[in-house]
Amino acid sequence: MRRGDERVISKTEKMLEARDASYFLGGEKLLDRLSFSIGTGRRVAIVGAHGSGKSLTMRMLHGLIKPSEGQLLWKGNALDTNGMRAQSMVFKEPAILRRTVAQDLRFSLQVKGRYSGVEIPEIQRLALARAGLSHLADKQARLLTRGEQKRLAIARGLATDPEILLLDEPTGNLEPNSLAMIEDMLLNAHSMGLTIVLVTHSLGQAKRLAQDVIVMHDGRIAETGPAEAVLSHPRSAAGRAWIEGRPHLEARAR
């Protein structure tokens, strides 16, 4: 991809945008001139082989790491603390506190600082109900199943009323029931205007959830576009390899 060749995911208003964003660690370039934008109200899947830079890209989008070169923009301006506060991110292995489920969720709301103490109990009640966890409110959160813990982590992210939710493999290695419940949670949240970006290794999930797709390979963007087009007729070798489940492509010289 040529420097400055921006790949726009959606023609709608740009919410989050990378412009020639690269990231170096220990002298090695791990992300190479990423340029794309996430449209407001879209559902976007980032896909690609293991080690292609998907999780690192998500961390950069959330402001946890800063581009070594290039820019990361939030609604047209440099991503700052206010832009980061408007986001929520659910990690591949979310941190679960040594508290009950209800206390875990309450703590997250208090840390976010967006609600008064009077509002929190009702927000907590609704969040647990939407995650199917109301009956587990008094259970120790660390004793939940993996699927229940993932639903709790997503409930925490949604309860803070973000403008965009970033999820790194939200359903990896989960049983079908938890997978279906999480996908329903995300679709319901999107129906209320939430922008969603997720990393997934599942072709089926990408087809069910994504409106737009970013294919990554070797720290670069191999291809972007509408999900139907990319997942049915990928233009890139990396896209074809991922869809067909073939081994990694050989890394390119930088």
Side-chain angles (χ1 to χ4, degrees):
M1 183 178 70
R2 300 187 306 274
R3 180 175 287 274
D5 176 19
E6 180 192 355
R7 312 211 177 176
V8 179
I9 298 301
S10 170
K11 294 181 180 179
T12 59
E13 177 187 349
K14 298 175 185 178
M15 176 175 280
L16 194 53
E17 182 179 4
R19 290 185 180 174
D20 277 334
S22 297
Y23 179 70
F24 296 83
L25 184 64
E28 182 181 1
K29 184 182 286 189
L30 301 181
L31 297 176
D32 188 5
R33 293 173 295 173
L34 305 186
S35 290
F36 63 88
S37 64
I38 305 296
T40 300
R42 302 295 287 178
R43 301 191 307 268
V44 181
I46 301 179
V47 305
H50 289 286
S52 59
K54 304 182 297 299
S55 295
L56 199 58
T57 297
M58 293 288 274
R59 294 176 68 85
M60 186 170 70
L61 291 177
H62 194 41
L64 298 177
I65 60 172
K66 298 184 181 298
S68 305
E69 296 176 345
Q71 294 178 290
L72 195 63
L73 304 179
W74 173 258
K75 298 183 177 179
N77 299 306
L79 179 66
D80 58 9
T81 302
N82 289 330
M84 292 172 64
R85 286 176 179 165
Q87 304 180 16
S88 284
M89 182 165 176
V90 178
F91 294 90
K92 188 184 306 184
E93 298 295 339
I96 302 297
L97 303 179
R98 294 182 182 276
R99 304 175 185 222
T100 68
V101 171
Q103 290 168 343
D104 184 295
L105 182 55
R106 175 185 287 270
F107 179 78
S108 297
L109 292 170
Q110 291 171 333
V111 168
K112 197 73 171 182
R114 296 185 63 176
Y115 304 107
S116 69
V118 175
E119 295 174 298
I120 285 178
E122 180 61 12
I123 295 169
Q124 175 185 282
R125 184 188 68 80
L126 290 173
L128 292 178
R130 289 169 180 159
L133 296 172
S134 298
H135 64 297
L136 298 172
D138 296 325
K139 185 171 182 176
Q140 288 295 311
R142 292 195 173 189
L143 298 180
L144 298 178
T145 67
R146 181 177 174 82
E148 290 166 346
Q149 288 184 352
K150 278 293 185 83
R151 279 152 49 201
L152 174 59
I154 293 170
R156 290 188 313 210
L158 294 175
T160 58
D161 194 26
E163 294 183 53
I164 184 170
L165 180 65
L166 309 174
L167 307 107
D168 191 355
E169 295 187 48
T171 60
N173 300 317
L174 294 188
E175 69 278 7
N177 183 57
S178 286
L179 184 152
M181 292 183 70
I182 287 172
E183 290 188 355
D184 285 345
M185 288 175 68
L186 298 180
L187 289 172
N188 288 336
H190 176 261
S191 72
M192 293 185 282
L194 182 67
T195 303
I196 294 174
V197 183
L198 75 153
V199 167
T200 181
H201 286 286
S202 167
L203 176 58
Q205 183 167 79
K207 288 181 175 179
R208 290 190 296 273
L209 294 185
Q211 296 170 313
D212 308 300
V213 172
I214 299 171
V215 181
M216 294 195 66
H217 170 64
D218 192 28
R220 302 176 182 181
I221 295 176
E223 179 175 359
T224 70
E228 184 176 357
V230 174
L231 299 179
S232 298
H233 304 288
R235 303 184 308 275
S236 65
R240 291 191 295 272
W242 183 77
I243 289 169
E244 295 168 7
R246 290 190 277 111
H248 297 202
L249 298 174
E250 186 173 332
R252 292 170 287 187
R254 297 191 187 282

